[in-house]
Amino acid sequence: MVLQRVLLVTCLVVSFVKGQEGQNMTPEEKTVIRDQIVEMFDHAYGNYMKYAYPADELMPLSCKGRVRGQEPNRGDIDDSLGKFSLTLIDTLDTLVVLNKLDEFEEAVKKAVRDVRLDNDIVVSVFETNIRVLGGLLGAHVMADLFRQRGERMQWYKDELLDMATDLGHRLLPAFNTTSGLPYPKINLRYGVLNPLSRIGTETDTCTACAGTMILEFAALSRLSGESVFEKYARKALDVLWDRRQKESDLVGTVINIHNGEWIRRDSGVGAGIDSYYEYLMKAYILLGDPVFLERFNIHYTAIMKYISQPPLLLNVHMHNPTVSVRSWMDSLLAFFPGLQVLRGDLKPAIETHEMLYQVTKQHKFLPEAFTTEFRVHWGQHLLRPEFAESTYYLFKATGDPYYLKVGQSIVEKLNVYARVPCGFAAVQDVRTGTHEDRMDSFFLAEMFKYLYLLFSEKSQLPINIDDYVFTTEAHLLPVSLSTKLPPCYDNITYTEVSQAEDLFTHSCPSPETLFPNNPAFAKSIRDGYKYLTGVGRAFKPLPYREIELPLHDNGMESIEFFKSMGISLMPLNDAMAGSSKEQKGVYQIKLVAELSQTTEEEVVPHIVQLISPPYLGRTVLIAGPAKFGLDLTKQEHGVKGSIVKAVPYIACGPLENSQDIKGHIALALRGDCMFAAKARQLQNAGATGVIFIDHREGSNNNDSPLFQMVGDGGSTAEVTIPLVFLFSREGQVLLDALDEHHNVDVLLLPKERQLGQDKLPKTSGMNIEIRLSEEAQLHEAFQHTLELVLEKTAAAVQEALDMDLDGERQSQLQSAADNGPGVESLTPITDSDSGADAEEP
C-alpha cells in the first residue's frame, strides 16, 4: 500500500507524448522562460523585501507594506494578516525550489530573528494554518534536509519547527467546540473564549476551513512528536464526513460549528469546499491511512455524477443534486483538474482545463467568477495560481508540449497586464485592466513555484520534487512521514467499507491505460472544446443529456418530483433496463429531460427616488431588494432619509464616521464581505437604511438583471433596516448628487409605489371655450367658469412631505414637480426605465 501511495506521486512523470499542436520546446527555449520566471520572482520578492518587510504584504501600487490597522479595514480579507511577516514565511520553500539557496538561508535567519507569533490580533484559522504553519513546516523540512546533507544550514537547530509548534498550540483552542469543528477565527495571544480575545461569538465556518487542517497538523504531530494536532484535525474531518448528505454523498459550503447543521447547502468543488476534497486525497498520500482515500473516492463518484458536466463544474443543492443552484463558476475550482490528475482521471481534467484556458484567452485572466456562457460574473483577478497548478499537473501526466505553451501564456500575461514598478498588482476588473493595490502572499508561494517546475527538469532542481506532497498553499511536506514517523497514538482512523472501485481507486495511473496506442490522446479530447468562448465556431451543447433515475414500484414518485421543478421526462423507446434483484421494485430507466419554463421567485423592483431640491422626485433610480431587513413592500409610504457615504466606503470593518451615519441612510460599496456583514455594521452605527452600490464599474440596470440580496448563511433576523442595491451607473448618479448638494433626501420604496405614479385622479374630457369679453360682460362670463387653482412647486413639495406623502398630496407633488422649481404644471411625471432622470414631456 505504501508503494502504491508513493507511485501515485512519482509516476506522474510519464513517457513523453508528442502533441500535434506544435513541436516540443527545446531545452534552450525552456531555459529562457525559466530565467524569465526567476526574474519575475526577483521583481516581486525583491520589492516586498525592499518596501514592505517586515509587514505582511506588499502594496505594489503604493510601494509600501500593508500593516493591519494602519490601512483601511478590508473585512475578512485582512484576517490573513497577523503581523507575522506573512509573505516572507509563505515564500521560504519557493526560494528553495527556484534554487535560491543563499537567499533561503538568509530568509530563515530573518524569520527566526524577527517573526512574532504572539500578537494580540484576530486571524483566520484556515489562512494561518495553510500559509504560516504550512510555510514554517515546509521551510523546516528544507532546512533540515540541507543540514543533513552537510551542504549548508549547519547552524540550524530546528528553530522553525519550534515556531511551528508554538503556532500550532495557539491555533488549538479553535477546536474547543461541542462538535469538534474549529472556530473560523482566533486571537493569537488570547485564544477564543478569553474576554480579551474579541471573538468567540462565531457560529459558522466553511467546509474547506474546517477540512483543510490535516496535512499541516498531522505533519506537525509527526515532526514534533505531539499527537494532539493530528488528533483534532482528524476529528474535524470525521465530523464533515459524518454530516455529508448520505443519499448524494455531497457536502455543503457552510456548517454550524456547534451542532454540525448545514447553513449553506450548495455543493460544488470551488470556493468554500475546494481544499476539503484536495486534503482527503493528499492525506492518504502523506499519511498512509486508506480511510482518507475511501472517503475521497466516494465523494469523487458523487462529484462526477452530479457536479461535473464536462467541461463545466456546476454547483448543486446537496439534498437535491439534480438541481443547479447558480449559473456561474468561481476561479478557485481551477485546481480541480490537477486533483483529477492525481486521481488518474485525465479525460475530464483535460476537458475542464481546456475550458479554463479558453476563458483566459478571452479575458486575459480567469475572472474571480464567470458564467456558464463564459461571460464575466465578477471581474476581479487576484493573481490566483490554481490554473497554473493544474497546467503543471497535466504536463507532468501527459508530457504534451501544449501545456508548456499554456504556461508560457500565463507568464506573458502576468508581465504585460499585472506587472507594476513595485511588484505585481491584482487586477480589479479583467474587462478594464485596472489594478488593485494588492499582492497576496500566495502569488509568491504558489504561482512562481508551479511555473518554475513546469519548465524545469528534475535534474535542475535542488531537491527530488517527487518525494513531496504539495499542500493547498504549495508547501512541501515529505511523503516519508508515513513510514519514517508512524501515526501517533490514537491517531489511526479505521478503514470503512468501500463502495465498488474502479481501475484507479488504489493504483498508479498507467500511461498504457491512459494513452492506449494513441500519442495524441490529450489533443483528441481538447479539440472538442476549442470554440467554447465564441472564437471560431460556436459551442452548441447537446439539446438533451441522458440520465439514470431510480423509479419505485408505482413509477411515479421521481417523475412527479421532476415535474414540480418544471422538468418533464420522456422515456426512450428502448429505455427499460430491467429490474434489480438486489433492490426489489427498483428499476433503472434512461430518460430524456426536457427543461420547461420554471417558476422562479419574482424580484420586485425597488427604487431610490431623490426628493429634495432640486430633484423633487424627478430622479428615479431602479434598485434591487433584499431577502432580509425591513420589507419595503409592507411599508405604505416607503422609508425617507438623507444619505451619507460610509467611511470606509467598503463598510466591512469599523466605521470612521459613525456619528455622521446615525439617523441617516448609508451608502456602501459592494465587495470584500457579505451584504449582511455590512448591514449589521451600518445598523449598529445607527443607520436607518442602506443603499449598496455595485463595485463593478459600468454595471447598470439596462445590461444586468436585478437580483435579491441574500444573507450570509447565518441568522439575519437582527437586521431591521431597509436595504436596496444599485448598479454602478445608477449609484454614480446618487454619488454625484451628494458631491454637488451635500444634503440629499431620498425615498426607498417598491417601484410600483413610486411617488405620484399610481394615485393621480382620472381626468374627464371637456371642451373649454376661451374668448375675449368686454369689461362690462365679465360678470356674466364667469358665472359658469371652471376655476383652476395652481400651487408653486416648492410649497407643494414641502407640504406633501410634512403630511407623510399621503395619496392626495402625492398627486399634487407629482403634478407640480415635473417642470422644476417654481414652475406651475398640471402634467404628471413618468418614470424613466433607465434609472436616469425622467425627461420633461
Side-chain angles (χ1 to χ4, degrees):
M1 187 66 71
V2 172
L3 177 61
Q4 291 171 343
R5 281 198 324 279
V6 175
L7 281 174
L8 187 60
V9 180
T10 60
C11 74
L12 290 177
V13 183
V14 299
S15 58
F16 172 73
V17 179
K18 196 169 185 178
Q20 296 181 0
E21 280 113 332
Q23 297 297 316
N24 189 24
M25 279 189 182
T26 65
E28 293 75 20
E29 289 172 327
K30 292 171 69 173
T31 297
V32 169
I33 299 174
R34 190 169 60 251
D35 290 345
Q36 187 179 11
I37 293 167
V38 172
E39 186 279 329
M40 293 165 65
F41 172 84
D42 289 341
H43 180 66
Y45 179 70
N47 277 289
Y48 165 74
M49 296 304 295
K50 179 179 180 179
Y51 294 112
Y53 182 80
D56 284 315
E57 289 179 350
L58 169 68
M59 299 173 67
L61 302 182
S62 304
C63 296
K64 65 178 183 179
R66 183 181 296 281
V67 179
R68 194 164 170 184
Q70 294 182 14
E71 302 297 329
N73 188 290
R74 301 177 298 169
D76 292 343
I77 297 174
D78 283 343
D79 289 340
S80 301
L81 313 180
K83 296 183 179 179
F84 36 35
S85 301
L86 174 63
T87 298
L88 176 72
I89 299 297
D90 220 1
T91 308
L92 289 174
D93 56 6
T94 303
L95 290 164
V96 174
V97 171
L98 270 61
N99 215 7
K100 292 181 169 293
L101 304 187
D102 291 337
E103 291 90 336
F104 170 71
E105 186 164 1
E106 183 62 29
V108 171
K109 290 179 179 177
K110 280 185 168 64
V112 171
R113 182 189 68 219
D114 300 338
V115 173
R116 293 182 59 89
L117 300 170
D118 62 347
N119 301 309
D120 178 13
I121 195 166
V122 174
V123 296
S124 162
V125 172
F126 166 73
E127 297 289 356
T128 304
N129 174 64
I130 65 172
R131 299 201 204 188
V132 184
L133 182 58
L136 291 170
L137 290 172
H140 162 72
V141 169
M142 296 295 104
D144 186 54
L145 174 67
F146 295 136
R147 180 178 59 184
Q148 291 182 30
R149 286 181 181 176
E151 299 172 355
R152 57 177 67 241
M153 308 289 292
Q154 297 304 301
W155 59 268
Y156 181 67
K157 305 299 181 186
D158 295 339
E159 288 90 347
L160 295 178
L161 179 59
D162 293 338
M163 293 171 66
T165 306
D166 176 42
L167 180 59
H169 282 292
R170 294 183 184 280
L171 295 177
L172 274 181
F175 291 84
N176 187 22
T177 61
T178 53
S179 69
L181 297 170
Y183 280 95
K185 301 178 183 182
I186 197 162
N187 186 299
L188 289 174
R189 180 176 297 176
Y190 298 112
V192 177
L193 301 179
N194 189 300
L196 299 176
S197 68
R198 304 187 300 281
I199 51 171
T201 59
E202 295 84 3
T203 58
D204 310 328
T205 195
C206 72
T207 303
C209 301
T212 310
M213 306 291 291
I214 185 64
L215 293 189
E216 292 83 2
F217 267 43
L220 180 57
S221 280
R222 300 190 183 199
L223 291 169
S224 68
E226 298 185 35
S227 64
V228 63
F229 306 111
E230 185 173 339
K231 174 182 176 182
Y232 279 108
R234 282 178 177 261
K235 171 63 175 174
L237 284 178
D238 291 344
V239 175
L240 292 174
W241 172 253
D242 183 62
R243 299 303 299 175
R244 78 190 186 285
Q245 214 291 319
K246 302 301 193 298
E247 298 299 321
S248 67
D249 286 319
L250 296 174
V251 293
T253 308
V254 177
I255 192 168
N256 186 290
I257 59 176
H258 301 297
N259 59 27
E261 295 296 323
W262 291 106
I263 304 302
R264 282 183 53 188
R265 295 173 174 82
D266 50 313
S267 187
V269 296
I273 302 179
D274 49 359
S275 48
Y276 163 65
Y277 293 134
E278 177 186 4
Y279 269 37
L280 285 177
M281 165 63 86
K282 291 182 177 179
Y284 164 69
I285 300 171
L286 182 70
L287 306 178
D289 191 339
V291 73
F292 295 124
L293 185 62
E294 301 275 356
R295 294 177 181 179
F296 173 79
N297 281 331
I298 291 172
H299 281 314
Y300 187 76
T301 299
I303 290 168
M304 298 310 292
K305 182 177 182 181
Y306 300 117
I307 293 170
S308 177
Q309 295 188 17
L312 308 180
L313 290 166
L314 304 179
N315 270 52
V316 300
H317 195 291
M318 62 181 290
H319 292 95
N320 188 12
T322 58
V323 176
S324 178
V325 297
R326 69 188 191 196
S327 60
W328 51 273
M329 298 171 280
D330 63 78
S331 64
L332 286 173
L333 59 74
F335 90 100
F336 197 68
L339 187 61
Q340 289 180 305
V341 171
L342 281 179
R343 174 64 168 70
D345 201 359
L346 258 69
K347 184 176 184 295
I350 292 168
E351 291 170 327
T352 298
H353 179 273
E354 182 63 21
M355 176 270 291
L356 295 169
Y357 184 39
Q358 295 298 323
V359 174
T360 65
K361 288 201 289 188
Q362 181 177 0
H363 301 297
K364 301 182 181 66
F365 299 103
L366 272 184
E368 193 73 351
F370 52 95
T371 71
T372 51
E373 291 81 27
F374 314 111
R375 295 192 298 268
V376 173
H377 180 76
W378 185 3
Q380 192 178 36
H381 175 71
L382 302 178
L383 309 181
R384 292 196 187 278
E386 286 78 13
F387 179 64
E389 175 186 359
S390 287
T391 303
Y392 162 72
Y393 275 112
L394 275 167
F395 176 70
K396 301 306 282 187
T398 67
D400 191 332
Y402 177 84
Y403 295 109
L404 294 177
K405 298 295 185 182
V406 175
Q408 184 179 16
S409 75
I410 297 173
V411 171
E412 292 171 350
K413 288 172 181 174
L414 285 172
N415 263 327
V416 173
Y417 300 110
R419 185 167 183 144
V420 295
C422 287
F424 290 82
V427 179
Q428 191 172 53
D429 195 316
V430 296
R431 291 163 295 193
T432 63
T434 53
H435 286 133
E436 235 180 293
D437 202 2
R438 175 176 180 180
M439 189 179 81
D440 289 88
S441 68
F442 53 68
F443 181 60
L444 288 163
E446 301 182 67
M447 181 69 83
F448 292 111
K449 196 174 291 172
Y450 287 122
L451 289 176
Y452 187 85
L453 289 170
L454 177 62
F455 292 96
S456 299
E457 304 298 329
K458 289 175 62 176
S459 60
Q460 296 170 323
L461 301 174
I463 58 174
N464 183 355
I465 200 67
D466 294 329
D467 288 341
Y468 300 90
V469 174
F470 289 100
T471 70
T472 195
E473 192 77 5
H475 294 305
L476 303 174
L477 299 177
V479 294
S480 58
L481 286 180
S482 62
T483 54
K484 291 183 179 180
L485 296 167
C488 302
Y489 183 69
D490 285 340
N491 272 343
I492 298 178
T493 306
Y494 293 100
T495 304
E496 303 167 22
V497 178
S498 171
Q499 60 179 19
E501 298 173 351
D502 63 22
L503 179 65
F504 301 126
T505 298
H506 291 285
S507 63
C508 170
S510 165
E512 287 74 23
T513 304
L514 295 176
F515 314 109
N517 302 315
N518 182 8
F521 175 77
K523 180 181 183 300
S524 67
I525 296 172
R526 290 194 301 266
D527 280 348
Y529 298 95
K530 282 193 169 183
Y531 306 97
L532 287 172
T533 60
V535 179
R537 60 179 171 83
F539 171 65
K540 295 182 179 180
L542 292 175
Y544 61 85
R545 64 186 291 235
E546 294 181 353
I547 60 172
E548 291 188 351
L549 180 71
L551 299 177
H552 295 275
D553 289 346
N554 59 13
M556 291 300 295
E557 179 182 334
S558 299
I559 292 179
E560 293 304 318
F561 172 74
F562 273 86
K563 281 185 177 179
S564 71
M565 297 187 298
I567 302 176
S568 59
L569 300 176
M570 177 180 65
L572 297 174
N573 293 333
D574 57 347
M576 188 60 67
S579 63
S580 169
K581 295 179 181 180
E582 292 75 21
Q583 291 179 292
K584 185 177 180 180
V586 178
Y587 299 84
Q588 282 191 332
I589 183 169
K590 287 187 176 180
L591 304 159
V592 177
E594 178 185 353
L595 294 181
S596 62
Q597 185 65 38
T598 58
T599 302
E600 297 183 355
E601 186 175 359
E602 182 183 1
V603 178
V604 178
H606 284 44
I607 60 169
V608 177
Q609 191 164 14
L610 282 66
I611 58 175
S612 56
Y615 305 99
L616 302 168
R618 291 178 299 164
T619 300
V620 179
L621 308 173
I622 304 299
K627 285 189 175 183
F628 61 104
L630 183 69
D631 187 353
L632 286 169
T633 64
K634 298 179 181 179
Q635 307 300 309
E636 184 177 357
H637 302 307
V639 172
K640 172 200 167 190
S642 57
I643 56 175
V644 172
K645 186 176 177 181
V647 179
Y649 190 23
I650 201 69
C652 286
L655 299 165
E656 299 173 14
N657 64 335
S658 296
Q659 292 300 317
D660 297 331
I661 288 174
K662 187 174 183 180
H664 296 80
I665 295 176
L667 306 182
L669 185 67
R670 178 188 187 183
D672 286 1
C673 64
M674 304 292 282
F675 288 120
K678 299 174 191 283
R680 294 187 189 100
Q681 190 85 12
L682 292 163
Q683 179 175 280
N684 291 339
T688 58
V690 181
I691 301 172
F692 296 108
I693 297 177
D694 197 4
H695 63 310
R696 297 174 300 138
E697 186 176 349
S699 66
N700 62 86
N701 179 59
N702 280 342
D703 299 337
S704 305
L706 283 181
F707 62 90
Q708 294 191 80
M709 295 179 288
V710 297
D712 53 5
S715 172
T716 52
E718 74 277 16
V719 181
T720 58
I721 58 177
L723 315 166
V724 297
F725 175 83
L726 292 176
F727 288 109
S728 174
R729 193 176 298 171
E730 285 76 26
Q732 192 60 48
V733 173
L734 206 58
L735 294 171
D736 291 344
L738 189 60
D739 287 342
E740 184 176 357
H741 302 287
H742 306 295
N743 186 19
V744 177
D745 291 338
V746 299
L747 188 64
L748 312 181
L749 71 168
K751 183 175 181 292
E752 63 182 12
R753 297 183 191 165
Q754 178 184 326
L755 198 63
Q757 179 174 264
D758 56 355
K759 294 192 176 183
L760 287 173
K762 186 175 180 180
T763 59
S764 300
M766 66 176 66
N767 293 323
I768 302 178
E769 180 181 354
I770 301 177
R771 61 184 175 84
L772 296 176
S773 300
E774 297 294 335
E775 186 174 354
Q777 298 175 310
L778 286 179
H779 179 73
E780 178 183 354
F782 279 96
Q783 283 184 348
H784 305 286
T785 300
L786 177 65
E787 182 179 2
L788 301 178
V789 179
L790 306 181
E791 298 184 73
K792 294 291 184 182
T793 299
V797 170
Q798 189 57 52
E799 186 175 352
L801 295 177
D802 292 342
M803 297 179 63
D804 289 331
L805 304 173
D806 60 63
E808 179 181 356
R809 285 298 182 180
Q810 285 187 41
S811 299
Q812 294 181 10
L813 169 60
Q814 287 300 302
S815 63
D818 186 57
N819 287 321
V823 178
E824 298 173 343
S825 173
L826 288 175
T827 308
I829 188 171
T830 56
D831 165 42
S832 168
D833 289 337
S834 69
D837 291 359
E839 295 183 5
E840 299 176 9

